[in-house]
Amino acid sequence: MQSGQQQARRKNAQVLDGSDIRELVENKEAFAKFVENKFRHLDADGDGRLSLKELQPAVADIGAAIGLPARGSSAQADHIYSEVLNEFTHGKQDSVSKPEFQHVLSDILLGMAAGLKRDPIMILRVDGEDLNEFVESAAYEAEAVAIFSQIESGNSSLRQCLPAALRQLTVDHGMPPASDSLVMEKIIVPALQELPADQLDQPASQEVFFQEFKKYLGMIARRLQECPIIVAHTENTFDGAGIRKILSNKFEFDKLLDSVWGDVPKEHKDRTSKKYLRVAFDKMAASVNLPPYGAVNQVDAMVNDAFKMANADDGKAVDEAEFKKLLTEILGAVMLQLDGNAIAVSTNTVLHEPMSTSSTLLSPSPSSPTVSSPSE
C-alpha cells in the first residue's frame, strides 16, 4: 500500500547491495593495504602470524557484519562462528600467516557481496511521516475495520486490542516491527500510557476501536518523529528461476556438483551416506537462489517433499554418480513446486545501534593498535 511519496522515500533509502565490498576486494592495491592494516592491528604480539586468540576479534566482526548475534547467544550462531574460524585455520592450524588471512578474508567478503547482490538490504528511517500519511488516507477506515475483525474476540479491551492491532501493520504503513524490544520501550508503551487508563480497560466496540486506534497511531507517529527507528528491510521471491538457470548451464552445474561432492565425507570405495545430501543441498542453496534450510518454512516444506519423493533420507550409502543424480532430482522437484507457487518473503529488523558501530570489518584500523586490548 505504498503511495507515491512512500515510493520516493524508499528510493532515497540506503541500499546495501555488496558493491562497496566487491569494489574493495577487486582493487588489489587497496585490498592489500586494507589487509595489511587489519593484520597489523590483530597481530597483538607482532610475530607475523595470527593465533586462534588473535583471530577471534576478526571472527566476531565477520559475525556482526553478516547479522549474527553475539557468540554464546545461541548454539546455531556459535556453530557458524566456529565454521568461520575453521575457514581461516582449515580446522588444523593453530595460527595463520598474512597471505592465508588475505586469501580467506577475500573469499568471505566476496561471499558476503554476492549475498547482498542477490538479497540487498534497504535501510529505512521510520520517522512517523508514512504513518501519519496512512492515518489520514482514504485507506485507513477499510484497513482498520479489517484489522479489528481479525483481532477482536468477544469482550476484548482496548488495552488488548491496540497492541494486537499494531502487529498487523508493517513498514509499508510506516510502522516499525511492533514486537521489537526497542520499539516497545521507546514508542509503543509510552504512547499507550498517554491514553486514559479507565478507557483502555473498557470493552472495545468497532466504533470505539476505529477512533482510538487512529488517536493511538497519531501518538506513535509523534514519538517516531522524536525518536526515529532505523529498520533493515529485505525482500526476496523464490520462484525456481535460480534453479532453472543453473540446470540449463551444464558446465556450471557440473562444477557445482563436483564442488559439493568434494566436500562431503567419504566411506570406503568412494561412497558416502545419503544423510550428506542435505548438507550438500544447503551448500548449493546460494547458487540457485534458495534460502538456507530453516530460514523460510514454506521453502523447507517443499525441500522436505522433494527429499521424500527421491527417497533421499534413508541413510544408505551411494556412489558419486548416484549422489549427483539424487541432488539433480531434488533440485528439479523443488523448481517445479516453486514454478507454480512462488514464495515471497520480506523481513524487517530494527537496528539497535548505529550501523557504523555494529561491525568494524570494513572500517580502517588504527595505525597504532593497543596491543593489550584489541578493539576489533
Side-chain angles (χ1 to χ4, degrees):
M1 53 141 289
Q2 294 181 51
S3 68
Q5 287 178 313
Q6 287 175 312
Q7 290 173 351
R9 285 192 282 278
R10 284 288 184 94
K11 289 180 181 179
N12 293 329
Q14 182 183 0
V15 177
L16 307 181
D17 61 2
S19 56
D20 290 347
I21 299 175
R22 195 162 46 252
E23 183 179 339
L24 170 65
V25 176
E26 291 175 352
N27 185 326
K28 294 183 178 180
E29 183 178 346
F31 187 58
K33 184 177 179 181
F34 168 80
V35 170
E36 173 69 30
N37 289 336
K38 286 291 175 186
F39 192 90
R40 188 187 311 120
H41 183 57
L42 292 167
D43 187 12
D45 59 11
D47 68 350
R49 295 185 69 84
L50 298 181
S51 66
L52 297 181
K53 182 178 179 181
E54 290 169 335
L55 277 169
Q56 293 297 339
V59 172
D61 224 12
I62 290 168
I66 62 176
L68 285 180
R71 187 189 289 270
S73 58
S74 76
Q76 185 179 16
D78 287 351
H79 174 72
I80 297 174
Y81 279 116
S82 296
E83 289 296 309
V84 172
L85 183 61
N86 284 338
E87 285 293 317
F88 283 108
T89 65
H90 306 292
K92 301 174 183 178
Q93 302 170 221
D94 57 7
S95 65
V96 298
S97 65
K98 189 193 305 179
E100 291 169 330
F101 178 73
Q102 179 168 341
H103 176 73
V104 174
L105 187 60
S106 171
D107 286 347
I108 289 174
L109 290 176
L110 287 175
M112 290 169 55
L116 286 169
K117 182 179 181 181
R118 185 179 64 252
D119 303 320
I121 299 173
M122 185 179 297
I123 306 301
L124 304 174
R125 186 174 186 268
V126 183
D127 59 5
E129 191 171 346
D130 287 346
L131 189 58
N132 270 329
E133 187 178 312
F134 164 62
V135 169
E136 299 302 326
S137 72
Y140 171 74
E141 183 172 353
E143 291 214 36
V145 170
I147 289 172
F148 182 75
S149 67
Q150 293 177 41
I151 64 171
E152 197 276 334
S153 57
N155 293 322
S156 300
S157 67
L158 273 177
R159 191 183 298 278
Q160 296 169 313
C161 285
L162 293 180
L166 287 182
R167 291 193 286 272
Q168 305 298 314
L169 301 182
T170 69
V171 291
D172 285 338
H173 299 92
M175 183 68 203
S179 59
D180 182 83
S181 60
L182 179 68
V183 177
M184 287 288 292
E185 177 187 350
K186 299 290 186 181
I187 308 296
I188 294 176
V189 173
L192 194 64
Q193 290 171 343
E194 291 185 44
L195 295 171
D198 57 343
Q199 188 174 3
L200 287 173
D201 293 327
Q202 296 299 316
S205 66
Q206 179 173 301
E207 182 180 356
V208 169
F209 171 81
F210 177 82
Q211 295 173 347
E212 296 304 316
F213 189 46
K214 188 170 189 176
K215 187 187 302 182
Y216 185 38
L217 291 181
M219 294 172 177
I220 287 175
R222 287 196 296 275
R223 289 193 172 272
L224 285 170
Q225 290 170 352
E226 298 168 0
C227 180
I229 299 294
I230 306 302
V231 175
H233 176 76
T234 65
E235 296 177 357
N236 204 341
T237 299
F238 303 107
D239 57 5
I243 302 176
R244 185 177 299 102
K245 181 178 179 181
I246 194 74
L247 290 179
S248 66
N249 187 329
K250 186 177 186 305
F251 176 75
E252 290 298 328
F253 185 50
D254 286 345
K255 274 177 54 179
L256 183 59
L257 289 173
D258 288 342
S259 174
V260 296
W261 170 254
D263 287 340
V264 298
K266 309 298 190 302
E267 299 175 357
H268 62 285
K269 296 183 180 179
D270 207 28
R271 295 168 70 83
T272 192
S273 170
K274 283 187 183 179
K275 69 182 181 181
Y276 294 114
L277 282 166
R278 286 193 176 270
V279 177
F281 187 87
D282 216 34
K283 287 187 176 181
M284 300 173 75
S287 301
V288 296
N289 192 32
L290 288 178
Y293 189 82
V296 180
N297 291 337
Q298 301 99 308
V299 177
D300 290 349
M302 291 183 175
V303 171
N304 290 338
D305 286 344
F307 268 78
K308 186 176 181 180
M309 289 171 58
N311 196 25
D313 279 329
D314 61 16
K316 293 181 179 179
V318 292
D319 61 16
E320 178 179 354
E322 182 66 14
F323 189 86
K324 291 179 177 179
K325 179 185 174 186
L326 285 168
L327 278 177
T328 304
E329 290 177 0
I330 293 165
L331 280 172
V334 173
M335 179 187 72
L336 289 175
Q337 292 186 76
L338 288 171
D339 189 44
N341 186 26
I343 296 171
V345 178
S346 65
T347 63
N348 297 290
T349 305
V350 174
L351 301 183
H352 285 216
E353 57 185 26
M355 289 178 59
S356 59
T357 63
S358 61
S359 170
T360 57
L361 182 61
L362 297 180
S363 63
S365 297
S367 57
S368 302
T370 303
V371 172
S372 60
S373 179
S375 61
E376 285 193 89

